[in-house]
Amino acid sequence: MKLYEIEPRKLVIFDIDDTLVHTQTKVHVVKDGHVTKSLNSHEFTHYKLQPNEEFDFGDFRDAREFFANAKPIIPMISQLKKDIDTGNKVVMVTARADFNDRELFLDTFRKYGIDMSKVHVYRAGNLTVKTSTEEKKKIIIRSLLDKDSYSKAIMYDDAKPNLEAFISLKKEYPQTKFYAWHVSLDGVASEYRRTDENFADGRNPQDKGDSKRYKVPTKASISTLRKIAKQGGRRGQLAHWMANMKSGKTKQK
C-alpha cells in the first residue's frame, strides 16, 4: 500500500516597503521637538536612535499617500501571487503601524490583482515594546510559528537585519526549515545564506535535540502527543508537530 504524500506546510513572509513596493514615504527623526532628519524606508531600517531622539511615523500612516505613490516591484508581486495560489500561509510583516484608512491601504494591493482576503498584514509598528524593528518582526514571526506547525518558513525582505532576526529563530523551531531571501532594489531575490539546518534530534551527536530537552516521548501514540500538545509552550509545540506527522503517515489510499 502507498502512503499519502504529506503536503508540506509553508509559512511565507513578505516585507512591504522596498520588497513588494517602492515608496517615497519618510520617517522623521525628532529631537527636542524638531525634525532633524527624514529617512526613507531603507534608511529607517538601519537607523539607530541617538539620545533624546524619537521617530515620527505620521507620514507612514497616510493610506492616501501610500495608495497614490506606492510602485509595485513586479518580480516580488508575482512571487506573492504565486505563493497565494499555491495555498501557502502567506503574511505581510511590515515595520509600519496601522494606516488611517485600512481599506484604502488594502486597495493598493488589490489594484494589482492580489487577493488580500488570503493575506494577513502584521504591523510591527503597533508593538509598544521598546526595541528594534527586526526584534519586533521576530516577535510577530515567533507568534505565528507558535500557533501552527510548518515544515518550511520563508522570508522575503530588503533589510538584512530583519533576515538575521528571522534566521535566529531556527534554533527555537528545529522541525522547521528556514529560508531567507534578500530582495535587491530592482526586485531580484537571492538566498541570503544557507539556513536549512533543522537541528532535529540526532542531527549532531553533541546535541540532544529539543525533543529530549523538553522530554517529549517521540514514540508515544498520537492521542498521547495530542494531550501533551494542549499543555502549550515549546514542549506542546513539538508534540503537536509530531502528532501531525504521525497522523499524516498513517493515512493510506
Side-chain angles (χ1 to χ4, degrees):
M1 283 189 173
K2 284 187 176 181
L3 297 177
Y4 280 122
E5 290 186 6
I6 301 173
E7 184 70 22
R9 285 185 51 75
K10 298 179 183 178
L11 171 65
V12 188
I13 304 155
F14 289 87
D15 175 45
I16 292 180
D17 291 275
D18 291 331
T19 297
L20 289 172
V21 297
H22 288 310
T23 67
Q24 300 301 316
T25 312
K26 303 289 186 180
V27 176
H28 305 296
V29 179
V30 178
K31 183 175 182 179
D32 300 326
H34 300 284
V35 175
T36 59
K37 55 178 66 71
S38 296
L39 312 171
N40 61 33
S41 60
H42 185 74
E43 293 168 336
F44 163 69
T45 301
H46 298 86
Y47 189 82
K48 303 298 182 184
L49 285 173
Q50 302 303 306
N52 300 319
E53 288 185 342
E54 60 182 1
F55 289 127
D56 176 2
F57 293 99
D59 293 350
F60 254 48
R61 298 177 185 270
D62 189 343
R64 185 175 297 278
E65 191 278 337
F66 185 79
F67 179 84
N69 298 317
K71 306 300 182 185
I73 301 174
I74 300 302
M76 294 308 301
I77 292 292
S78 297
Q79 182 64 51
L80 173 61
K81 290 180 179 178
K82 178 181 177 181
D83 280 303
I84 293 172
D85 291 343
T86 304
N88 295 326
K89 171 72 173 180
V90 180
V91 301
M92 296 179 189
V93 180
T94 176
R96 294 177 184 249
D98 288 336
F99 280 83
N100 54 14
D101 188 327
R102 177 180 179 275
E103 289 304 313
L104 187 58
F105 161 70
L106 296 178
D107 283 343
T108 307
F109 296 99
R110 290 171 180 149
K111 68 182 177 180
Y112 299 121
I114 297 168
D115 185 353
M116 292 304 290
S117 68
K118 297 181 179 178
V119 182
H120 190 88
V121 181
Y122 293 88
R123 300 164 176 83
N126 286 346
L127 299 184
T128 57
V129 59
K130 292 185 179 298
T131 188
S132 63
T133 297
E134 58 264 29
E135 286 301 313
K136 288 183 178 181
K137 286 193 172 187
K138 184 176 177 179
I139 290 170
I140 292 170
I141 296 168
R142 181 186 286 116
S143 71
L144 292 170
L145 293 170
D146 283 341
K147 288 178 183 176
D148 210 338
S149 297
Y150 297 97
S151 60
K152 295 181 181 179
I154 303 164
M155 184 175 187
Y156 295 95
D157 204 303
D158 68 295
K160 293 181 179 179
N162 294 336
L163 296 173
E164 286 289 347
F166 169 72
I167 292 169
S168 71
L169 285 166
K170 65 183 180 180
K171 290 185 179 180
E172 297 180 40
Y173 303 92
Q175 313 299 350
T176 302
K177 293 185 178 181
F178 285 73
Y179 298 90
W181 292 85
H182 182 249
V183 181
S184 65
L185 290 176
D186 57 0
V188 176
S190 56
E191 193 168 9
Y192 180 49
R193 60 184 174 87
R194 296 297 300 179
T195 61
D196 55 358
E197 303 91 345
N198 62 8
F199 298 92
D201 288 344
R203 173 85 182 201
N204 298 307
Q206 70 272 23
D207 290 335
K208 292 183 179 180
D210 267 12
S211 294
K212 283 188 177 179
R213 189 175 302 114
Y214 288 91
K215 298 181 180 179
V216 179
T218 57
K219 296 182 180 181
S221 66
I222 294 173
S223 60
T224 298
L225 290 169
R226 295 288 187 206
K227 291 178 182 178
I228 296 173
K230 291 180 180 179
Q231 298 173 10
R234 181 66 184 136
R235 186 168 188 257
Q237 188 206 17
L238 287 169
H240 176 70
W241 182 87
M242 289 178 189
N244 284 348
M245 292 298 289
K246 287 191 176 188
S247 177
K249 288 179 179 179
T250 57
K251 293 177 181 177
Q252 297 181 339
K253 287 184 178 180

